[in-house]
Amino acid sequence: FFFEIMRPLRVLQFNTLARCLAETIQFPYAIDLEQERRAGREHIYESWEAYGITERHWQHAELVKGGTPAEYLLGQNEAGTFGVEEANGKYLYAWGDRLPLLIAQITQHDPDLIFLQEVQVDTVPEFATALRAQIRTLELSCVASPPFEEGVGPVYDGLYAARRDAPESDGIAILWKRTSFDAPSDARGELLRYSDGQKLALLQPLVAR
């Protein structure tokens, strides 16, 4: 999109690392087992269902062949050490711990435009709630923004589209602040897909307020 605006514009591009992409099955270092035990969450490693990976998960069929999540972890070649520190000394934790950190990093910049990639489809409502966004999904009917409390309207409008080769996995989103932009009613968002089924782009005409 192209626009002319006379004030500073805050634009944020953020790779959220989708929940399914940051699970232990993708990154065996993403879970610190000792931390999980101290937090009383060791039971979630007793089965893939307890871990949150049900038959609807795109990798469930292969994972159950290898035993429980705990067996999978202990079967890695790292002698049971699965906590890897980031530069600031923090660990990467499970989604329930990571989402608030993602939201805090996004909102502290108070962006006018937000571009998100690797957003897992079933976490779109969580982002919508946390960012107070009304997000319209393209080519999907199973995901919708949750209703807002009476008297509390959305701060952002937005679009979301999932990748074609694995629509239950992840996708991308564009969000724009309502006080900064209007989306013309006659110019709805456009979705462009690459032939590999993975890469995609969202286009949304906007008018600066």
Side-chain angles (χ1 to χ4, degrees), residues 31-101:
I31 300 296
D32 176 5
L33 289 182
E34 290 303 319
Q35 166 67 20
E36 296 294 278
R37 292 191 183 101
R38 289 194 297 270
R41 289 192 291 256
E42 65 274 10
H43 65 281
I44 70 175
Y45 302 99
E46 296 174 359
S47 71
W48 289 109
E49 286 72 19
Y51 188 68
I53 297 179
T54 66
E55 293 182 355
R56 297 180 59 187
H57 192 283
W58 60 301
Q59 290 185 310
H60 180 270
E62 290 298 319
L63 289 170
V64 296
K65 297 176 182 178
T68 66
E71 290 169 335
Y72 176 89
L73 285 170
L74 297 177
Q76 303 299 312
N77 297 320
E78 301 297 331
T81 301
F82 300 99
V84 172
E85 291 183 341
E86 296 179 303
N88 60 1
K90 293 182 179 180
Y91 285 99
L92 296 175
Y93 293 117
W95 180 251
D97 298 318
R98 198 158 60 86
L99 177 62
L101 299 178

Side-chain angles (χ1 to χ4, degrees), residues 100-112:
L101 299 178
L102 294 175
I103 297 300
Q105 291 181 50
I106 294 172
T107 57
Q108 71 175 337
H109 297 289
D110 190 27
D112 299 288

Side-chain angles (χ1 to χ4, degrees), residues 24-200:
T24 307
I25 56 176
Q26 296 287 340
F27 295 89
Y29 309 108
I31 300 296
D32 176 5
L33 289 182
E34 290 303 319
Q35 166 67 20
E36 296 294 278
R37 292 191 183 101
R38 289 194 297 270
R41 289 192 291 256
E42 65 274 10
H43 65 281
I44 70 175
Y45 302 99
E46 296 174 359
S47 71
W48 289 109
E49 286 72 19
Y51 188 68
I53 297 179
T54 66
E55 293 182 355
R56 297 180 59 187
H57 192 283
W58 60 301
Q59 290 185 310
H60 180 270
E62 290 298 319
L63 289 170
V64 296
K65 297 176 182 178
T68 66
E71 290 169 335
Y72 176 89
L73 285 170
L74 297 177
Q76 303 299 312
N77 297 320
E78 301 297 331
T81 301
F82 300 99
V84 172
E85 291 183 341
E86 296 179 303
N88 60 1
K90 293 182 179 180
Y91 285 99
L92 296 175
Y93 293 117
W95 180 251
D97 298 318
R98 198 158 60 86
L99 177 62
L101 299 178
L102 294 175
I103 297 300
Q105 291 181 50
I106 294 172
T107 57
Q108 71 175 337
H109 297 289
D110 190 27
D112 299 288
L113 288 167
I114 304 174
F115 302 95
L116 301 177
Q117 65 187 77
E118 292 189 359
V119 179
Q120 186 166 322
V121 62
D122 60 5
T123 65
V124 173
E126 296 181 72
F127 279 99
T129 297
L131 295 172
R132 289 177 56 192
Q134 189 73 45
I135 302 175
R136 182 167 62 91
T137 58
L138 302 181
E139 300 183 0
L140 289 172
S141 59
C142 58
V143 176
S145 298
F148 293 93
E149 297 180 6
E150 185 176 354
V152 180
V155 175
Y156 292 94
D157 285 323
L159 294 176
Y160 173 86
R163 49 194 279 190
R164 175 175 289 160
D165 64 325
E168 71 281 6
S169 175
D170 64 291
I172 60 175
I174 298 175
L175 283 71
W176 56 92
K177 186 178 286 187
R178 285 190 162 199
T179 56
S180 300
F181 296 100
D182 286 318
S185 58
D186 60 345
R188 297 173 68 82
E190 183 179 356
L191 172 60
L192 304 179
R193 293 191 180 277
Y194 289 76
S195 58
D196 63 3
Q198 295 184 10
K199 294 186 287 293
L200 64 160

